[in-house]
Amino acid sequence: MTRTQGTGRRAGVALTVALAVLASAAGTLAAPAPNAFAQPGAFAFAFVANLHSDTVSVIDTRTDTVVDGVRVGDGPDSVAVTPDGSHVYVTNSAADTVSVIEARTRTVIDTIAVGEEPSRVTISPDGWHAYVANVRSDDVSVISTRTRKVTDTVKVGDSPLGLAVLPDGSRFYVANAASDDVSVVRTDTNTVVDTIPVGSGPTALALTPNGRQLYVSDLTSDDVSVIETRGNTVTARIPVGVQPAGIGAGPDGRHVYVANIGSNSVSVISTRTHGVADTIEVGAGPNGLAVGPDGSHVYVSEFEADTVSVIDTAAARVTGTVPVGDGPTGVAVTPRKRGPGTTGR
C-alpha cells in the first residue's frame, strides 16, 4: 500500500484506505429543536459527520428522523460523544481542526487545531481526554476535554485511522492503515509500547466491553483481525465482506458489527466462534458504524446513498433509512438517559 492510499481522501466507495476526496458543498440544514436535550428522560441521539456538506446531522433515535444539522469545519470525517453525552467532538479532515459541539444546544463552542488531516476521534472512558488520529502527519493529538487544548502529540505508524481506548483507560490503540499494524500507546506516558502486525489496510477498531479483545477491520484484505489485548497478539483473522471499514461491538460482548463498503453489507461476527453469524444488506457505500447504547440497534452511514440505515439487531434486518447530508462518514450515539415519561428504544 502506498502513502497516497492512506490519506483518507479517496472518492466513492472503492477506497483503498479511507473515504473520500473532500469537496465543499453547502447543505440545507433541518430546523433546529434546541429543547430536546433539556427534556426529562432525554433519549439517545445519533450524530453523523457529512464529509461533503461540512455538517453534522442529528438523528432522533426514537423516530429515526433528522432533527437538526450543525455546521462544522471543512471535511468532517469522524464524531465521538463524551461518556456523559454532553459534548460531541468532530474531526474536520480538510481544516486540520476538531469542532466541539455542545450536545444540549447543538452549537459549536470551540475549534481546536490538531495535526494534519485529522480523520478519527475517540474519547477516554473517564471523559478527560480526546484522542485524534492525524492521517497525514502520522500522529495522534491528545486533547484535554477540560481545557480543550492539545496537551501532547504521539508519533505512531503510517496513516493512522482507527482508535480505541481500554475500559480502564490505561492504553489506547491506533490502526495504521499504510503500515498494516496497530500501535499500542500507554496513556500515562503517551508512548508507543508495542506494535502489532495485522491485515492489509487496518482502518477501524472495536474493543469488547471487557477490553480483552480488539477487532480490527482490514479494509484491503477483506477480513477482521482479532487481537488479545493481554498479550497483544493476533489470534484470528475472520473473512468478511468487501472492504470492511466501520466496526462496533455490542454492549453484551456477544457480537461485533462490520460495515463492508464494497459489498453494501454489514457482517455480524460471533465473538464466541470468531465466525460470521449473519450478513445484513444495507445501502450503498456503508462505512461508518455505531452500536446503540443497549445494543438493540446499529446505525450505519452510507457514503454513496447519503443515508443512515438503522438495523434491528434482534431481527438482523434494516428497519429504517434516514436521509442525512452529503457523504456521511462517521457515526456516534449518545448514552441513553432515561426518565419519567420516556421509554426510548
Side-chain angles (χ1 to χ4, degrees):
M1 183 182 305
T2 66
R3 171 69 176 163
T4 302
Q5 288 173 325
T7 64
R9 294 183 178 178
R10 304 282 74 83
V13 291
L15 312 174
T16 40
V17 172
L19 286 170
V21 171
L22 296 170
S24 180
T28 302
L29 304 185
N35 296 323
F37 272 90
Q39 294 172 358
F43 44 89
F45 289 83
F47 291 83
V48 184
N50 303 305
L51 189 74
H52 289 165
S53 52
D54 300 336
T55 61
V56 172
S57 296
V58 185
I59 298 174
D60 174 344
T61 64
R62 295 187 305 180
T63 59
D64 291 338
T65 56
V66 172
V67 295
D68 208 349
V70 183
R71 182 76 57 183
V72 289
D74 190 5
D77 198 7
S78 176
V79 288
V81 182
T82 56
D84 64 2
S86 63
H87 294 87
V88 181
Y89 284 68
V90 185
T91 56
N92 303 310
S93 60
D96 298 342
T97 61
V98 170
S99 295
V100 183
I101 298 172
E102 184 180 67
R104 183 180 62 85
T105 61
R106 300 180 203 145
T107 56
V108 173
I109 60 171
D110 211 342
T111 301
I112 306 166
V114 290
E116 296 179 53
E117 198 176 331
S119 291
R120 298 292 186 274
V121 60
T122 195
I123 311 293
S124 62
D126 60 14
W128 287 5
H129 294 94
Y131 299 100
V132 180
N134 304 303
V135 175
R136 196 174 290 274
S137 52
D138 296 335
D139 55 28
V140 173
S141 298
V142 182
I143 297 172
S144 165
T145 58
R146 289 167 290 180
T147 64
R148 295 199 287 273
K149 305 288 185 184
V150 173
T151 59
D152 210 344
T153 301
V154 185
K155 276 290 181 183
V156 290
D158 194 3
S159 299
L161 283 171
L163 292 163
V165 190
L166 284 177
D168 66 5
S170 63
R171 299 186 181 194
F172 69 86
Y173 297 81
V174 188
N176 304 305
S179 51
D180 299 338
D181 55 31
V182 172
S183 298
V184 185
V185 181
R186 279 184 53 164
T187 57
D188 57 348
T189 60
N190 286 328
T191 55
V192 175
V193 295
D194 207 348
T195 301
I196 309 165
V198 291
S200 177
T203 187
L205 303 176
L207 280 162
T208 52
N210 60 16
R212 293 178 182 174
Q213 293 181 320
L214 178 69
Y215 288 77
V216 186
S217 58
D218 302 319
L219 187 137
T220 55
S221 55
D222 298 339
D223 58 21
V224 169
S225 297
V226 184
I227 295 172
E228 291 288 342
T229 57
R230 288 178 176 175
N232 290 336
T233 56
V234 174
T235 58
R237 294 273 297 274
I238 307 167
V240 288
V242 178
Q243 295 179 316
I247 190 168
D252 61 6
R254 295 174 57 193
H255 296 101
V256 170
Y257 302 87
V258 188
N260 303 304
I261 297 172
S263 52
N264 296 335
S265 64
V266 170
S267 297
V268 183
I269 294 173
S270 165
T271 57
R272 182 179 60 85
T273 66
H274 285 164
V276 173
D278 212 336
T279 301
I280 304 166
E281 299 301 314
V282 293
N287 59 96
L289 183 147
V291 182
D294 64 2
S296 63
H297 292 81
V298 171
Y299 300 84
V300 184
S301 62
E302 293 150 351
F303 186 78
E304 284 199 334
D306 297 337
T307 54
V308 168
S309 280
V310 182
I311 295 173
D312 182 315
T313 57
R317 64 182 181 89
V318 173
T319 56
T321 302
V322 186
V324 288
D326 187 2
T329 53
V331 187
V333 183
T334 58
R336 175 176 299 144
K337 299 176 182 178
R338 294 188 179 278
T342 298
T343 58
R345 275 186 175 158

